[in-house]
Amino acid sequence: MNMNAVGIDVSKGKSMVAILRPFGEIVSTPFEVKHTVSGIRSLIEHIKAIDGESRIVMEHTGCYYEPLVRELSQADLFVSAVNPKLIKDFGDNSLRKVKSDKADAVKIARYTLDSWTELRQYSLMDEIRNQLKTMNRQFDFYMKHKTAMKNNLIGVLDQTYPGANTYFDSPAREDGSQKWVDFATTYWHVDCVRKLSLNAFINHYQKWCKRRKYNFSQSKAVEIYEASKEIVSVLPKDDLTKLIIKQAVEQLNMASQTVEQLRTMMNDAASKLPEYPVVMAMKGVGKSLGPQLMAEIGDVSRFTHKGAITAFAGVDPGVNESGSYEQKSVPASKRGSGTLRKTLFQVMDALIKTKPQDDPVYLFMDKKRSQGKPYYVYMTAGANKFLRIYYGRVKEYLSSLPK
């Protein structure tokens, strides 16, 4: 039976396709396919018309490959989406450095032939997983935006009311509002406080707390008032300065509200997935980090073993051996998903802060830390162990469910 290796170099809106057989036999020279209904249908008909078994390989880069891999999979063709790093590291066997879509398509086709027996069929994620992953990327984007807006507001307040952001450490509400931001909205300049008498400010602050539904503390009011006497402001207390503060507050509140909405939506979507109860029961995972983990890891059944999922996250320890030389401590590969590694580090940070004495991951990290291991060493080791436990528990639970 003929082996037809279909290499597809994916780009935005179009792809370059090359089809080879063993020993360099060319079935189809590189040709372009547009990501349209007619273009993809023509490609499917062309591949099915070729005699023999065909296997299609493409890189999973961004979201550009998804329309193509979806349609090809639904057409009952063997499709495998591989990590771009594998293609990049695949031997060129040439001294010339050629970088073009045609050359890349041929290279992917040669990789297909070389890895023929090791290729895994692409498994279409269901609609919920796709939505969850998209929401997580949006969540990450708006979190960065929120941080930028927060720093911007603090920078402006440092010129009108330095230290106003340090008076309260209450967590954000479900609507994204924060006490220190609401405080800065009303008391946007230090003169808004110290120009009043102590009793007048206490009464005004008490009414503000009641209106905003915050707990009132007279000692906190006195503390704020006394501190205001020593504060030096740079910008004057006028309408222009007030407008600057108002705009900064509105931008931060808008970003905070979007973040909290996405957090709720992600938890609702993740709760519909079968592994949700198992993931949420793990230490260090809450309603925010749990859905993020599920979004980035996806369906664990696509990983053949524990080492595959740690390699996907890039927290697997490397190996450096040559002859009698063997490096004892090798950095993590960091070749997988950066977003997943970030989420794993947040889980590890939560474990260190909560210190659950019955959790094997925390005990493992604590042991490494007591041995004097550097921060990134024990955090990466903990993330590796956590992923292995995650893989084992989720896969065991999914196998126990009726198909």
Side-chain angles (χ1 to χ4, degrees):
M1 181 182 292
N2 291 325
M3 298 167 55
N4 307 311
V6 183
I8 302 181
D9 182 59
V10 182
S11 57
K12 185 176 182 179
K14 64 178 182 178
S15 295
M16 189 64 66
V17 182
I19 306 177
L20 303 179
R21 283 178 180 161
F23 306 108
E25 180 183 349
I26 299 175
V27 178
S28 295
T29 56
F31 60 94
E32 186 178 282
V33 173
K34 294 190 178 297
H35 294 179
T36 60
V37 174
S38 58
I40 297 176
R41 185 182 297 129
S42 175
L43 175 63
I44 293 172
E45 293 173 355
H46 180 72
I47 295 174
K48 286 187 173 181
I50 302 174
D51 181 49
E53 180 185 0
S54 299
R55 295 197 171 186
I56 308 166
V57 171
M58 64 186 74
E59 300 172 328
H60 52 71
T61 52
C63 59
Y64 298 147
Y65 78 102
E66 291 179 356
L68 195 60
V69 74
R70 182 181 181 84
E71 295 300 319
L72 293 175
S73 296
Q74 290 181 343
D76 296 326
L77 293 171
F78 186 101
V79 188
S80 182
V82 302
N83 193 308
K85 181 67 176 176
L86 298 176
I87 303 297
K88 182 179 180 181
D89 291 345
F90 184 68
D92 286 319
N93 197 28
S94 174
L95 293 177
R96 295 181 62 210
K97 185 176 181 180
V98 181
K99 181 67 178 76
S100 68
D101 291 345
K102 292 182 179 180
D104 289 344
V106 172
K107 183 177 181 179
I108 296 172
R110 290 195 295 107
Y111 172 86
T112 305
L113 289 172
D114 190 69
S115 310
W116 186 271
T117 58
E118 301 171 1
L119 296 174
R120 297 189 70 251
Q121 173 72 43
Y122 177 81
S123 177
L124 287 174
M125 292 191 300
D126 58 24
E127 186 175 313
I128 295 177
R129 294 191 187 279
N130 272 323
Q131 288 177 333
L132 186 60
K133 187 171 183 179
T134 301
M135 282 190 289
N136 188 45
R137 297 305 169 92
Q138 289 294 300
F139 178 82
D140 185 61
F141 169 79
Y142 281 106
M143 276 296 294
K144 293 177 181 177
H145 184 64
K146 176 184 174 181
T147 301
M149 293 299 100
K150 175 183 174 181
N151 292 337
N152 175 65
L153 176 57
I154 293 174
V156 178
L157 282 176
D158 283 344
Q159 302 178 72
T160 62
Y161 199 158
N165 59 296
T166 63
Y167 291 149
F168 312 101
D169 56 3
S170 305
R173 290 176 169 176
E174 292 185 359
D175 61 354
S177 61
Q178 295 174 273
K179 190 172 183 178
W180 75 269
V181 178
D182 290 341
F183 180 85
T185 305
T186 302
Y187 305 101
W188 53 275
H189 197 281
V190 67
D191 287 344
C192 295
V193 175
R194 65 185 175 195
K195 290 296 183 181
L196 301 174
S197 66
L198 176 59
N199 290 332
F201 172 70
I202 292 175
N203 291 333
H204 193 277
Y205 176 73
Q206 185 176 16
K207 291 177 182 178
W208 176 83
C209 288
K210 183 178 181 180
R211 188 170 61 253
R212 298 279 186 167
K213 297 181 180 179
Y214 289 119
N215 294 328
F216 168 72
S217 171
Q218 184 166 338
S219 60
K220 173 60 74 172
V222 174
E223 177 188 339
I224 294 173
Y225 185 82
E226 294 298 329
S228 68
K229 296 178 181 179
E230 299 296 327
I231 291 176
V232 178
S233 60
V234 177
L235 297 178
K237 183 177 178 291
D238 57 19
D239 291 340
L240 182 58
T241 302
K242 185 177 182 180
L243 179 61
I244 295 173
I245 297 293
K246 181 182 178 181
Q247 290 176 336
V249 167
E250 288 177 352
Q251 292 296 319
L252 175 56
N253 283 336
M254 190 180 301
S256 299
Q257 186 178 4
T258 304
V259 165
E260 296 307 318
Q261 287 176 346
L262 282 170
R263 202 191 304 271
T264 302
M265 290 166 58
M266 287 173 61
N267 188 59
D268 291 342
S271 65
K272 300 175 184 178
L273 297 176
E275 67 267 28
Y276 181 79
V278 179
V279 177
M280 299 304 291
M282 299 182 70
K283 302 289 186 181
V285 175
K287 291 185 178 180
S288 179
L289 293 178
Q292 291 180 54
L293 281 173
M294 296 164 66
E296 294 303 320
I297 294 175
D299 187 0
V300 296
S301 62
R302 63 195 177 103
F303 299 106
T304 55
H305 56 286
K306 295 179 180 179
I309 194 172
T310 56
F312 174 74
V315 294
D316 54 323
V319 179
N320 185 13
E321 298 178 0
S322 179
S324 59
Y325 172 77
E326 178 180 354
Q327 186 174 345
K328 294 183 179 180
S329 180
V330 185
S333 65
K334 294 185 180 180
R335 292 187 174 183
S337 170
T339 306
L340 177 55
R341 282 198 302 276
K342 177 183 175 181
T343 305
L344 286 170
F345 266 61
Q346 290 175 324
V347 174
M348 297 304 103
D349 185 62
L351 287 174
I352 290 176
K353 289 178 179 177
T354 55
K355 301 179 181 179
Q357 298 300 318
D358 58 341
D359 183 68
V361 178
Y362 169 72
L363 296 176
F364 176 73
M365 281 197 300
D366 192 49
K367 179 182 177 182
K368 292 289 184 182
R369 190 166 50 169
S370 64
Q371 293 174 350
K373 300 293 184 181
Y375 172 79
Y376 284 105
V377 172
Y378 67 75
M379 289 287 279
T380 304
N384 185 297
K385 188 175 183 66
F386 178 88
L387 265 186
R388 289 171 176 269
I389 294 174
Y390 179 102
Y391 176 82
R393 290 181 182 177
V394 172
K395 194 163 188 179
E396 181 182 8
Y397 177 75
L398 294 181
S399 63
S400 67
L401 297 176
K403 293 185 179 180

